Structure formats: C-alpha cells, structure tokens
Amino acid sequence: MYDYKIINAYVVTMNADFSVIEHGCVCVQGDSIAQVCCMSESYELEAQTEIDAQGSLLLPGFINAHTHAGMSFLKGYADDVPLKTWLFEHIFQVEKQFLNPDNVKTGAALAMLEMIASGTTCFVDMYYFVEETAQLCEHIGMRAFLSQAIADFAVADAASPDIAFAHLEKLMREYEQHDLVRIIPGPHSIYTCSAEYFKTARALANRYNLPLNTHLSETAEEYQNCMEAHGKTPVEYLADLGIFEGKTIAAHCVYVSETDTEMLAEKQVAVVNNAQSNLKLVCGIAPVPAMLEKGAKVCFGTDSAVSNNSLDMYAEMKTAALVHKFNSGNARAVNARQAVFMATRGAAQSLGIEHLCGSIEPGKKADLQMVNINQIHAVPLYNVYSHIVYALSGGDVDTVFVNGRCVYLHKQFQTIDEFDVMLQAQELANKIAVEREK
Amino acid sequence: MYDYKIINAYVVTMNADFSVIEHGCVCVQGDSIAQVCCMSESYELEAQTEIDAQGSLLLPGFINAHTHAGMSFLKGYADDVPLKTWLFEHIFQVEKQFLNPDNVKTGAALAMLEMIASGTTCFVDMYYFVEETAQLCEHIGMRAFLSQAIADFAVADAASPDIAFAHLEKLMREYEQHDLVRIIPGPHSIYTCSAEYFKTARALANRYNLPLNTHLSETAEEYQNCMEAHGKTPVEYLADLGIFEGKTIAAHCVYVSETDTEMLAEKQVAVVNNAQSNLKLVCGIAPVPAMLEKGAKVCFGTDSAVSNNSLDMYAEMKTAALVHKFNSGNARAVNARQAVFMATRGAAQSLGIEHLCGSIEPGKKADLQMVNINQIHAVPLYNVYSHIVYALSGGDVDTVFVNGRCVYLHKQFQTIDEFDVMLQAQELANKIAVEREK
C-alpha cells in the first residue's frame, strides 16, 4: 500500500533517456518515488490517496538555484533604477531599518509559497537570519541550500565576520543530517568579502563536504575593478585563492573570459544564470551557450523578488532560452528540452543532489509538480518541452510534492495558511511605505 | 439602472493623469463605461449585475498590436530553429497542406480565448480567410483590426493579388460600420509584396480611412537586401513609395536608422514591438527607447503563438521592458508605467482608437480586465504598475469585458465552449503530426 498514487499523468521523467510516459502512473511511498509506470501496468498498485492527473503533466519540481527568499517583503519596492542606485540608495537603506528575523520570516514565507505554487521544490538562498528560513523550509516543506551571507563588515545578523562564522558553523552542524535543509557559507561577493573570509568559508564548506555560494562577475564594474586591483578576472581571482577547490555555486557569471569559462567547467562550478534580473538591473547577458559548450554546469535562478520581481521559474526559463538565442545568434541555443533539463536534473547535477532529485525515477525523493495543460493556452500539444518552456507559466501548476509530502493540492496550500502570510507582508509593506514617505 | 456595477476595485484608469482609484467603482451601460468613481460615491448607483472586485485590479483591456490568430493551431509545431528554416521548411510547408477556413477558424478561436483569458480585449491580426476570424470576433467578443495578407503570389485564400484585393475590399465595406471589427489591407512585407501592390493597399486603406498593416524591417537580411536592391532602408523604401501617407501599422522595425526613426515618428506610424518573437527567431532587439525618445508611437505585440508561443501580453510587456533596459543600457528605459501605457492607451493612440478604448473613462467602450492580486506572488503591493509588468501574469486575469459584454467571468468563458475548441485543435494537431511523420 503506497501513500500516493498519481494516475493518468503525462509523465516527463527527465531521466537519462528523457523518457516520457504519455499515460503514466507514479506512486509515492514515504519521502520517495516508489513506482513509475504506464497506466496499463498500474491497476494493481494500491495507495492511501489517489490523485487523478488527467490533463496534467507530471514533472520533477524545479530547482531555483539563486534567490534571496527573505527579501520578498520588498517585492516591487524599487524598480527601473540601475543596480548601484537600487542597491545602495534603496535596498541597503530599507534593509538597515527593517531587516530583522520577523521580517525575514515573512519574506521567506512569501517566497516559498510563491515558489511552490509555481512548481519549484528546491532553492538555493543567500540572506540573513538563516535559521528563520530553515525552520520555514521544514514547516512549509521545501528542499534548500541556505547560505548565510558573509561580508567584511557588520551585517544584520552578525556584528562581525567572526561572529557570523561561529553562528554559521553552529547551524551547519545542526542541519548536517536534515531531510530538507543544508546550511552553507555565502561569502557575498569579491567586492564585499575579503580573500581571507573567502578562504575561511571554503575551508568550512569543505569540512562538511558542502557547497559554498557566492555572487560572481555580475557586472562590468566588478570585472573591471577586479582587473585593476588584482590583474585578474573575478573567476581567476577566486580560482587562484583556491575557492573552487570544493563544491561551488556561483550566481551570475555574466562577465567571463574564455579561460574563465574553461575554469568554471573544469572545476564543475554550479553556474547560476539569472537572465531576468541581469536584464532588469542592466548587468548584461551571460554567455550561457558558450559556457554549456565548454561543459560548464549552468542552471537557472530567479534572483530575488526585488530584482525580478517574480520567482516563477517558467518565466525565467523562457526568458533565458530567448535571450541566449538572441545573444549567441543561434536559434537552436538553449533549446526547450535543454532548458527544462537545466531547471531540473541539470540543476540537481550542478548542486550535487542528483541522487535525491531532478528527475522522476524510483528511489529518488518525491519532489514533483503536476501542471494543468487542459487549458486553452496549452492546446494543441505537439512537443511537451516546447510547451513547458514557451507556453506554460507558473500559474498552471496544480499540485506539488516535496520529499513525498503533498504541500500544494489542487491549488491549495496544505501546510500553512497563505492569507496569514499575505496579511503580515502587506502590513509590513504599509509600515515601510510610511517610513519612506518621511 | 446600469447593466453592470463593478465594486471594490483597485482601478488603474490609464487616463491622461494616470489616476488610480484604490477603492473604486466602475459602471457599465450598454457597450460603454458609464461611471468611474470612488466607492464612497457609488452607493446609490444601481445595476442589474454587481461584480465584487475586492482584491482585484481593474485595468483597461490590453491591445495586442501584432499577431496571427489563425496560426494558433500550429502552436509549438516548430521551435528552436532560425527564422528562415522556421518559415520556409516548417510553417510554409504545413500551411500548404492545412491552411483552410476551418483550420483558421480553429486557430483563431484558440487565439482569441487565450487572449481574453490573459486580459487582451483588442488585437491587430494578419492572416488568411479573414472572414472566419471576423465572425469569431463577433461571436466570442473581441475588438480587432483584421488584415488580409497580400503577397505577389497565390496565397491560401486568393489565387492572385487581384482576387485578393477584390475580396478584401468587399470585406472592408461589409465591416465598415461594425461595432468591433475593421478589415484592413495587409501587404505582407517588402520582400513578398511588390511596390505596386503596396500602393494599391495604401489607396484602398485611405479610401476607408483605415490603417494598413505590414511587417517591416524584421531581420538584418531584409534590411541588407533592401539596401542592395534599392539603396534605401526598408523604412525609406516604403516612405518613398508614399506608403506612410495614411495610417500605418508596422510590425517589428528591428532594423531602423536614426533617420528611419524620425520618419516613423513624423508619420505617426504605429510601430509594434514583438520582443519575445524577435529574440526567439534571433531577429534582434528593436531600439524601442530611442524610438520613443524621438516621439515614435510604439506599442506591443506577441506575434503568433508559433513564434512566441504565448499570447500573454503580461509576459510580453515584462520581456520587452527588460530587454530594452539591457539593450539601451538604461535601467529606467521602458519603465513599468510606460509599459502599461504602451499596452493600453498608448496602443489605442497608435491605432487611432483612443476615443474608443485604452483607458477607463466614462464614455469609452467598456473593454476591461479584472486581475486578481490577492495572491501570494502579488503581495505586498508597493507600486501597482511594477506589479502589473514585473510580477503578474496572464493567468491572474479573472474577468474580462469587451464592448460592454462580459466575455469571461471568474475564469469562465461566457460566449463559447472552450473545450469544443480545444478538442478540435488537438484533433487537427494529431492529423498534422501524422502527416509530418510520413
């Protein structure tokens, strides 16, 4: 007797053969996928709960490999301004006053619910008060790598880098065996974090065999400043510090030389492309097709809801697929199937969790999304990958499982009252708006 | 006694002052908007039907200024290939076999329902068997400029250009006084339609004081070929032929010189930017911020569901706003409010129908969309325009009015059974797929 039996699904497994089962059944037992078969082979399988997926795709949950969940309480706070103005005149100012555990909790809850409702089951985060987000991952039900931001200066949750590291290690230990969450070091960037702290972060990550998460070569200015200060590109600079000697997640990588690309590929760095954020903040377009060609492991992230302002991975995939075609002059670049791969199994590979998730296969954790294609904008169906990337959107997601737990069923959140979260978030925004008027 | 009273709406009027009524009421009488006021002024207003818009925005319906509705039966048929391969090896081949009135009707119905469900109330179309689409506009309820495609060669609905023109004029006359539809000439492009036929189309359009609709300077190849053949840019070529001496809708305009831009502005050509299609088919990025600066009237189109593959104007606005920031190196370019303007009143201005639609004002036709923002991804709310462009999507649309008629109410189509349309479209797609396998 299984826990769940999902029947009549169009199963897009994203396994090594990219198998698709047009009339399929998937059973969930405990936290894992127990059966993946055709409907014709499914009739004797029994489960406590049966979910009819007629007219729906069943896909692996998406992995959003770069975001700042806690910032969602600032969604739409400052738009249409360049990155530096945005960061220094708006975001840092409002954070100074409003960054605290309660507000991070509100933001992270908003972000997680938005991600779940648009088919994301796992995310890589960087922000402050990481324990708040970690507790929510457990409560709401999401898989995550949560990186505590490390900088040279005092930040919201640590008066000094030493305090930050001590707190970080305590949390890393605490979550070492957790079902869903890993806490990891997040040296913020080469322009906010010294070589010394980068090295400390690397050593700490390696001690727990976990990735380190950083922003890398996001803007032309960062690239030029690094060249001037060190005579090296940002990628070379970190490589020479030994930062890539261990699992690394590097968000952005917009400005990378050919040698940089080879280095990122050789070191199997998880490169996270944030196409929408990079366009919105006028950072540029990362050379993703060239990176993929060199064997770099590129996946997608939405960045925060303040620089996007959506955490919908469907929209992110589409925009990424489109801009990379344009930018490489090749309409075949980042094709639909590849884009879906990069948001699922490819991302799981990059992050070193392919044994856990990224595809629908017996034995993997049940991180699943059921997506309604019995809708006018998804008809007719010629090619399922094309629909996923170019025609569907996050709002088409109907049901989501994380680690075997049904967290979203027929568009209803199962683990938290979303209206409480929305009310808190709007009350906080009202306070912030009043302060801004002053 | 009004027909409809929409209460508790967050009304984004898009009028000349960009007035927003946070707690507003809009009444509809016949085909028109009769009242726009605050809730506090609304209590004595009575209507046959009251719609509670609590938690929703009320916006003018979007104007999708360039699409090919009838092509929607080919949605997802050919992706990830360059424009020429796409057009000559895939689209033209399948059209040769399957382009007929029935299939155009199926495609157009799909497209219209998709547009309505994502907040679009008016569209500019170019395709064949225009009368099928026109009848559907009346039946389903959409405002449209439908252009019959004109080319030098025999096309699906006309054995020769002469036959095409005769048929076109007959339809133009027939729909001259129609509530919703105008039929207009659609000389396809400078590379498929001779100077002579362009001039005939211009004269015909002017005889009825209607716009002419064409594709213009979509690819670098078109630009270069025109320079080689005529020593002129495509814009100069049409200008010298006198084609801009009358209302003109020009889709794409990706390759335009500074002089071209000045010409487009001077002649008040309705320039239609199709950002997503232009990226997907690797055509390029139109210099929209520069065109706007010169006073050109730029609006948005999704292009067809075969080159996008979605008709969602929310996604189109967002991608356009983002790529134009990137391409102009200016994060302030195509800001959120401007993007909404370009999809509503700005588009109505461009098309010469500002007296009818594009804003929520008493006396205008009731072309309205109600959009649910009581959703996790739309909370909190700091700036309504930012949310519309960067955070919402077509799936958030709840209710749509066209010309005073409620065509979509709480996510239910009111004028047609969408499942019939979906079934027809999928059956047709199955036939096409079988043929392709041969």
Side-chain angles (χ1 to χ4, degrees), chain A residues 372-380 387 391-393 396, chain B residues 75 110 113-114 117 309-311 395 422:
Chain A
N372 180 9
I373 56 164
N374 191 26
Q375 300 193 81
I376 203 82
H377 62 276
V379 171
H387 262 21
L392 298 179
S393 83
D396 301 322
Chain B
K75 186 190 300 166
L110 268 183
L113 294 182
E114 182 182 352
N309 305 347
S310 151
L311 306 182
M422 287 158 67

Side-chain angles (χ1 to χ4, degrees), chain A residues 20 53 59 78 104-105 128 159 188 214 230 269 278 321 351 416 430:
Chain A
V20 163
L59 298 178
V104 165
K105 199 172 165 181
Y128 306 100
H188 176 269
T214 191
H230 307 289
V269 170
N278 293 160
L351 301 174
I416 190 170
N430 295 346

Side-chain angles (χ1 to χ4, degrees), chain A residues 178-325:
Chain A
H178 197 273
D179 281 348
L180 294 170
V181 175
R182 291 290 178 279
I183 310 291
I184 61 174
H188 176 269
S189 64
I190 62 167
Y191 57 91
T192 49
C193 189
S194 69
E196 185 198 337
Y197 293 131
F198 255 105
K199 285 181 182 172
T200 308
R202 176 74 277 164
L204 189 54
N206 285 359
R207 208 171 310 146
Y208 293 84
N209 189 29
L210 284 171
L212 162 161
N213 184 30
T214 191
H215 296 97
L216 185 58
S217 223
E218 182 176 4
T219 64
E221 194 183 355
E222 176 184 346
Y223 188 89
Q224 283 152 7
N225 288 349
C226 186
M227 290 298 283
E228 280 166 28
H230 307 289
K232 297 171 183 178
T233 69
V235 170
E236 284 167 352
Y237 170 73
L238 284 192
D240 289 352
L241 286 179
I243 302 307
F244 299 143
E245 304 306 320
K247 296 176 186 167
T248 307
I249 305 167
H252 302 301
C253 299
V254 176
Y255 294 90
V256 288
S257 68
E258 213 181 307
T259 327
D260 288 348
T261 298
E262 282 160 8
M263 173 63 70
L264 293 168
E266 186 199 322
K267 296 297 181 183
Q268 295 290 283
V269 170
V271 173
V272 190
N273 177 229
N274 301 267
Q276 292 187 100
S277 170
N278 293 160
L279 291 171
K280 186 155 182 272
L281 296 172
V282 191
C283 297
I285 299 177
V288 167
M291 290 199 264
L292 290 169
E293 211 162 276
K294 293 273 183 198
K297 295 203 164 305
V298 187
C299 44
F300 298 128
T302 58
D303 213 343
S304 82
V306 192
S307 63
N308 184 317
N309 308 343
S310 153
L311 306 181
D312 179 353
M313 284 285 288
Y314 284 90
E316 189 63 38
M317 277 194 300
K318 179 170 181 177
T319 306
L322 299 188
V323 295
H324 297 313
K325 289 179 207 313

